[in-house]
Amino acid sequence: MGNDAEERLAGALPIPETEGREASAAMTEHTASKQSCRCRVCGSGPLSRWVHLPAMPLTEELRPLDDRSAPFLADIDVYVCADCGVSQTVGERDLSPYYVDYGYTVGQSPFAARFMQRLADTVRDRYGLQPGFTVIEIGSGDGAQLECFRRAGADVYGVEPSSELCRASRQRGVPVMEALFEPETAALLPEPFRPADVLLMTYTFDHLPDPAGTLAAARDVLHPGKGLLVLEVHDLARIVERREYCLFEHEHYTYWTARTLGEALGRSGFRLLTTDLLPENERRGNSLLIAAAPTDAAHSPDRLLLVDEEAQIDYDEFQRELDSGIAALDAFVEREAAAGRRIAGYGGGGRGVMTMAAMASSWRLAYVCDANTGLHGRRAPKSGVPVADISRLAQQPVDTLIVFSYGYMDEIREAVMKLPGAPNRIVSMLDILK
Ligand SMILES: [Zn+2]
């Protein structure tokens, strides 16, 4: 399903050439010494650590089966700022040497395609945008989302650092600049898009190391009187509620709730308009999807702004819950194995990779299925579980299937149940984690 194609890399500086568990120890020391760092969002602090996941891989470093080189592994440590409340990592590192190129196919999922068109139509209709409105997307990928906006009547332009994805975007006729979005990038945008009516970042904003700088650049790009900023990030309140530890990734610099995002927008000259752009059943798994506008723009915020989920996070208690979630997954797999049942997974994207990496029992999974053909014949980093086409379930049947990409549960269940020898039991990892 490639549901984590959105989990793309956005940044930055060299790290030491260490590998495997040694890298883990080195990184722990590195981050601990940075504990007194200033907050990357508000510049204040102090920061205190509340999430620790030891020796975790990169979500996309899936290597061919015969490639035995050690994957990048480092601890994931997440800190919360006592001043602004934003959760974040400290330091910056360039992870790009570890990245393996493969084709992204997120647009092939009917659910994802429906979401993208609904987002485009809703932004146009809700904010009264007229034909020919201009849309810029930062991290525009293969251009699938911008194509939906064009279908909705917009003139579109993308900014995307991956040359492979830029090529795919141009093939579908969506113009794109091959670049990371930095404050200087704003001035390089073509004339008709300065200013722009809509600036869109879906699962990109939390991959950028300097959120305040990004928001300042967004203000420069947007029309001051009618501009709209549309952001989609993972919802930290939901991550915590569901114990969805797989969404803590090296690729994420920041983690947001509706409240902390609304406040950061306020500090950067934006006003939060809505956290309710699309109903939850039409959004992607664990999505915080918001619209904001420059403070003086003519858009009105929702009468009822839902931003109080923050109260749900118990920073002192979460590590214990996280550990017991992982233990529950391991206990489930061991129980199945002890009963003589064969087990496989579904979802070779970020969720599957990170969930399996933290489990002690993932070696018991025969394989993990994924619809993304670019992942087939590759191995998930650290867990070593091979990724296979869904047809493997017919060739090498299993009794139990654990679905990591649970956001596509209905589609997956439908596809799997059609197969001869389909598993007796298909279970969402969320149901085991709780
Ligand atoms: Zn802060």
Side-chain angles (χ1 to χ4, degrees), residues 2 18 31 84 123 137 155 172 198 254 378 383 403 410 417:
T18 45
T31 48
C84 71
V123 168
E137 183 177 17
D155 287 332
R172 67 167 86 219
V198 178
T254 49
R378 294 178 184 271
S383 70
V403 178
D410 293 342
M417 291 313 288

Side-chain angles (χ1 to χ4, degrees), residues 38-45 47 81-86 88 267:
R38 293 196 311 171
C39 170
R40 67 168 74 246
V41 179
C42 73
S44 181
L47 303 177
C81 171
D83 194 356
C84 71
V86 177
Q88 57 200 278
R267 285 192 299 273

Side-chain angles (χ1 to χ4, degrees), residues 15-319:
I15 51 158
E17 286 269 331
T18 45
E19 283 182 340
R21 292 189 176 270
E22 282 149 285
S24 167
M27 293 311 294
T28 308
E29 204 174 308
H30 172 72
T31 48
S33 69
K34 293 252 186 172
Q35 207 154 358
S36 57
C37 268
R38 293 196 311 171
C39 170
R40 67 168 74 246
V41 179
C42 73
S44 181
L47 303 177
S48 47
R49 190 175 81 174
W50 65 286
V51 175
H52 174 68
L53 284 162
M56 293 294 277
L58 297 169
T59 57
E60 294 180 3
E61 199 190 2
L62 292 101
R63 295 190 177 276
L65 293 178
D66 57 1
D67 181 344
R68 289 287 169 183
S69 56
F72 170 87
L73 293 177
D75 296 355
I76 291 177
D77 291 294
V78 181
Y79 299 76
V80 60
C81 171
D83 194 356
C84 71
V86 177
S87 285
Q88 57 200 278
T89 58
V90 299
E92 290 182 24
R93 34 181 126 121
D94 179 13
L95 302 171
S96 53
Y98 296 95
Y99 274 73
V100 182
D101 260 353
Y102 58 81
Y104 296 92
T105 54
V106 70
Q108 287 179 357
S109 160
F111 179 89
R114 213 160 41 235
F115 163 81
M116 288 181 187
Q117 193 61 54
R118 283 281 291 145
L119 177 60
D121 295 346
T122 302
V123 168
R124 177 197 59 198
D125 296 344
R126 190 142 163 186
Y127 297 104
L129 302 174
Q130 300 303 310
F133 67 99
T134 49
V135 180
I136 290 182
E137 183 177 17
I138 309 304
S140 54
D142 64 5
Q145 177 66 74
L146 283 177
E147 193 171 37
C148 293
F149 270 97
R150 196 167 51 191
R151 214 174 285 135
D155 287 332
V156 302
Y157 192 79
V159 180
E160 166 58 49
S162 154
S163 51
E164 190 191 344
L165 291 172
C166 284
R167 218 165 23 244
S169 181
R170 291 184 189 113
Q171 265 165 20
R172 67 167 86 219
V174 171
V176 60
M177 183 200 305
E178 187 177 327
L180 277 170
F181 186 69
E182 292 162 326
E184 312 82 79
T185 317
L188 303 174
L189 294 167
E191 188 62 45
F193 296 92
R194 282 182 294 150
D197 296 322
V198 178
L199 184 71
L200 176 69
M201 285 186 256
T202 63
Y203 293 122
T204 301
F205 183 61
D206 42 2
H207 290 209
L208 300 171
D210 175 16
T214 301
L215 291 178
R219 278 227 49 176
D220 285 347
V221 172
L222 280 169
H223 192 290
K226 57 177 182 161
L228 282 167
L229 176 65
V230 177
L231 294 180
E232 186 181 35
V233 294
H234 292 296
D235 187 339
L236 182 62
R238 302 306 304 276
I239 292 176
V240 167
E241 183 192 322
R242 296 163 160 177
R243 300 177 171 180
E244 207 173 354
Y245 68 84
C246 56
L247 292 178
F248 295 112
E249 300 176 354
H250 294 295
E251 294 87 336
H252 289 161
Y253 285 103
T254 49
Y255 298 89
W256 301 90
T257 65
R259 186 179 70 79
T260 57
L261 186 53
E263 289 173 359
L265 286 163
R267 285 192 299 273
S268 294
F270 283 99
R271 184 163 53 161
L272 182 62
L273 300 178
T274 186
T275 61
D276 197 23
L277 207 47
L278 290 180
E280 188 169 356
N281 63 0
E282 292 183 16
R283 299 204 294 260
R284 299 185 271 211
N286 201 328
S287 154
L288 172 59
L289 178 62
I290 66 100
T295 312
D296 298 326
H299 299 294
S300 308
D302 285 359
R303 227 168 296 145
L304 182 64
L305 256 178
L306 305 168
V307 291
D308 57 357
E309 303 91 331
E310 181 76 355
Q312 305 298 318
I313 301 182
D314 184 341
Y315 294 97
D316 296 327
E317 185 58 20
F318 182 70
Q319 183 71 43

Side-chain angles (χ1 to χ4, degrees), residues 360-375:
S361 61
S362 46
W363 64 276
R364 291 195 183 276
L365 303 185
Y367 48 86
V368 59
C369 300
D370 201 284
N372 185 347
T373 54
L375 297 177

